[in-house]
Amino acid sequence: MGSDTFWVLVAFVIFMAILAKYGAFSGIVAKLDSRGERIRSELEEARRLKEEAQKLVAEYRRKQHEAEAEAEAIITSAKAEAERLAAEAKTKLEDLIARRTKMAEQKIANAEAQALADVRAAAADAAVKAAEVVLAANVTGATADRLLDSAVAEVKSRLN
């Protein structure tokens, strides 16, 4: 080592000692410490915000799953209700058709009975008129009237 380098080294060490004695390094160290503390607090705040965000994401996902499950339940319920209403409507329609068919059959039966009664009445009237004609041609006088009246009454009572 050369003597110049030695004296530069000694001067540098003395200069550093003087700076250290008067607190020049303490200000730098204090600033570095405060900056490190500020960075540490910012990192801690970032970690806390990240955890809150993760909790919020988890909460929203849970709510989304609940909403999807509720929507699925509503859809299932609506389908079941629609099927129930369709079955109920089908049953009511079948009952209505059965009632209408029975009413139509009853009307047909009544019409047949009425037609049969009308035919019997027409036949009775025709028989009475024919009997009147035959008796009028063959029997005369009071006997004819009496026989005619009793025959008409008997034919009417039998046919009706």
Side-chain angles (χ1 to χ4, degrees):
M1 213 178 330
S3 95
D4 290 337
T5 309
F6 174 74
W7 289 112
V8 170
L9 178 63
V10 169
F12 181 73
V13 169
I14 292 172
F15 178 72
M16 286 295 172
I18 292 171
L19 284 178
K21 182 178 180 183
Y22 288 109
F25 292 119
S26 65
I28 293 173
V29 170
K31 285 183 181 179
L32 288 175
D33 285 344
S34 70
R35 184 170 183 206
E37 187 60 36
R38 184 175 45 106
I39 291 171
R40 189 176 304 112
S41 68
E42 287 176 0
L43 285 174
E44 189 60 37
E45 177 70 13
R47 253 187 240 112
R48 187 184 62 77
L49 289 174
K50 179 182 176 186
E51 289 173 1
E52 284 182 22
Q54 287 174 338
K55 286 179 185 177
L56 285 174
V57 167
E59 177 70 17
Y60 285 127
R61 284 188 180 150
R62 184 186 61 80
K63 285 182 180 181
Q64 179 186 10
H65 290 301
E66 287 176 0
E68 287 173 354
E70 185 177 342
E72 187 65 32
I74 289 171
I75 290 170
T76 302
S77 174
K79 284 181 182 177
E81 182 69 13
E83 289 173 0
R84 184 188 66 76
L85 289 174
E88 186 177 306
K90 181 180 177 186
T91 302
K92 285 182 180 181
L93 181 62
E94 289 172 353
D95 289 346
L96 178 65
I97 290 171
R99 281 195 316 267
R100 292 276 172 99
T101 302
K102 188 174 181 179
M103 285 174 48
E105 289 171 351
Q106 185 66 35
K107 284 182 180 181
I108 290 170
N110 288 342
E112 286 175 351
Q114 183 62 41
L116 186 59
D118 290 346
V119 167
R120 283 185 180 168
D125 288 342
V128 167
K129 292 210 187 293
E132 281 180 8
V133 169
V134 168
L135 288 176
N138 294 333
V139 179
T140 58
T143 307
D145 289 338
R146 190 173 31 86
L147 283 175
L148 185 62
D149 289 340
S150 69
V152 167
E154 185 179 333
V155 168
K156 281 187 179 179
S157 68
R158 286 189 182 174
L159 290 178
N160 288 330

